[in-house]
Amino acid sequence: MQFADFTVWKYLASIVDIVLVWYVIYKLINVIKGTKAVQLLKGILVILLVRVVSEFLGLVTLSWMMQQAINWGFLAIIIIFQPELRRALEQLGRGRFFSRSSNPDDDDQEKTVEAIIKATDYMAKRRIGALISIERETGMGDYIETGIPLNSSISSELLINIFIPNTPLHDGAVIIQKNSVAAAACYLPLSESPFISKELGTRHRAALGISEVTDSITVVVSEETGSISLTRNGELHRDLKTDGLKELLTSELVIHNKAKQASSTRWNWRGKNNG
């Protein structure tokens, strides 16, 4: 009986061990989901695939190069994923690592769009320069950390007040995360594209720069002309009217989000039927 009991306990411990490992992996995936680490992980998978294919085809030199990349990969992962690892440890220390994540509601998205529209219309008429970046799938935690944390509910009044000239937070970008103002006075990477018009200033270059490295949507109000522009996926939409800006923001933030949630709901419904 003792031997049998030990065997049963060993099997139960193995099952618990596997379940816990998978759960930790799942939470780690949620931590890096929506960050630049996803693209880096894809690069690692490509290296592993090339290593297997080169070994199969007998490509000695390429196989050796890939093996060296894998051998030094652990150290590279620690260096490259340092922000994500730090964020995971911070969440673990705050007790948020094992909490559930929630998606923004459609009503909150619509309120965010309305606040941005109202604020940009006010600032454009008065030629108040502004730079507002909205986080989507790709995380912007690295850029949020360069600014002053606010973690405030979004409103047009708050956005206008931030960008009033000669105030402490007016110089830099506001980053909106999960329908709240995460930080102000943030530094965004400048685009190095040679095709940018020379008449565009630092705000437009920063808006293009962040759209080239993330899937964020960024709204710019020109201080010189009062014109409104929007960047997404490395593209610049200039001289937008209020209606045009509202249409673009609604399409990208509200309609796209509803379609994504509907697709996820259909997938879950089919999965339940099949199960």
Side-chain angles (χ1 to χ4, degrees):
M1 286 296 295
Q2 292 181 354
F3 177 77
D5 292 341
F6 175 77
T7 303
V8 172
W9 170 250
K10 186 176 181 180
Y11 282 134
L12 289 175
S14 299
I15 293 173
V16 172
D17 187 24
I18 293 173
V19 171
L20 289 176
V21 169
W22 275 109
Y23 184 72
V24 170
I25 292 175
Y26 168 75
K27 297 303 293 186
L28 288 174
I29 291 175
N30 283 340
V31 169
I32 68 172
K33 181 182 178 182
T35 67
K36 294 181 290 184
V38 175
Q39 284 75 23
L40 296 175
L41 282 177
K42 291 179 181 178
I44 292 174
L45 292 177
V46 170
I47 292 176
L48 294 174
L49 180 62
V50 172
R51 172 68 175 85
V52 173
V53 173
S54 60
E55 183 72 20
F56 178 77
L57 297 178
L59 305 176
V60 180
T61 305
L62 183 59
S63 178
W64 178 85
M65 292 176 61
M66 293 300 101
Q67 186 60 47
Q68 296 304 310
I70 294 172
N71 292 340
W72 291 95
F74 182 74
L75 179 60
I77 287 174
I78 295 177
I79 297 174
I80 294 173
F81 292 152
Q82 184 266 338
E84 284 74 23
L85 292 173
R86 182 178 63 185
R87 191 174 300 115
L89 292 174
E90 288 176 351
Q91 292 185 9
L92 182 62
R94 296 171 185 169
R96 296 170 52 193
F97 186 79
F98 298 100
S99 62
R100 294 183 178 180
S101 58
S102 58
N103 293 324
D105 296 330
D106 294 333
D107 292 340
D108 292 336
Q109 293 278 27
E110 293 175 357
K111 290 178 181 178
T112 297
V113 172
E114 290 298 329
I116 294 174
I117 294 298
K118 186 176 179 180
T120 52
D121 182 59
Y122 179 95
M123 292 185 287
K125 291 178 179 178
R126 293 159 179 79
R127 296 190 178 184
I128 299 173
L131 183 60
I132 305 170
S133 190
I134 308 164
E135 181 189 81
R136 301 180 73 190
E137 294 295 327
T138 304
M140 300 179 66
D142 296 344
Y143 306 107
I144 290 174
E145 291 177 357
T146 65
I148 306 300
L150 297 178
N151 299 317
S152 305
S153 299
I154 187 171
S155 67
S156 58
E157 292 79 9
L158 175 61
L159 293 175
I160 293 171
N161 192 64
I162 289 174
F163 290 109
I164 293 296
N166 301 322
T167 56
L169 301 179
H170 87 284
D171 190 16
V174 161
I175 296 181
I176 296 175
Q177 183 184 59
K178 297 179 180 178
N179 298 306
S180 65
V181 180
C186 300
Y187 292 97
L188 303 182
L190 300 181
S191 174
E192 298 180 357
S193 173
F195 304 105
I196 300 177
S197 174
K198 294 183 178 180
E199 65 183 21
L200 297 178
T202 304
R203 285 192 179 91
H204 289 83
R205 287 186 173 273
L208 273 172
I210 194 64
S211 71
E212 292 170 352
V213 297
T214 70
D215 62 349
S216 62
I217 296 176
T218 305
V219 179
V220 186
V221 178
S222 173
E223 187 175 359
E224 288 76 17
T225 64
S227 62
I228 302 173
S229 303
L230 180 144
T231 63
R232 58 177 179 178
N233 301 323
E235 299 177 352
L236 174 64
H237 303 265
R238 299 182 60 184
D239 300 327
L240 294 173
K241 302 299 181 182
T242 302
D243 293 339
L245 177 63
K246 184 175 182 179
E247 182 179 351
L248 283 173
L249 289 177
T250 303
S251 174
E252 292 292 333
L253 299 179
V254 180
I255 298 177
H256 178 77
N257 186 56
K258 288 182 179 179
K260 184 177 178 181
Q261 290 182 353
S263 177
S264 176
T265 303
R266 286 197 300 270
W267 175 263
N268 293 333
W269 180 78
R270 290 176 182 175
K272 291 180 180 179
N273 284 346
N274 293 335

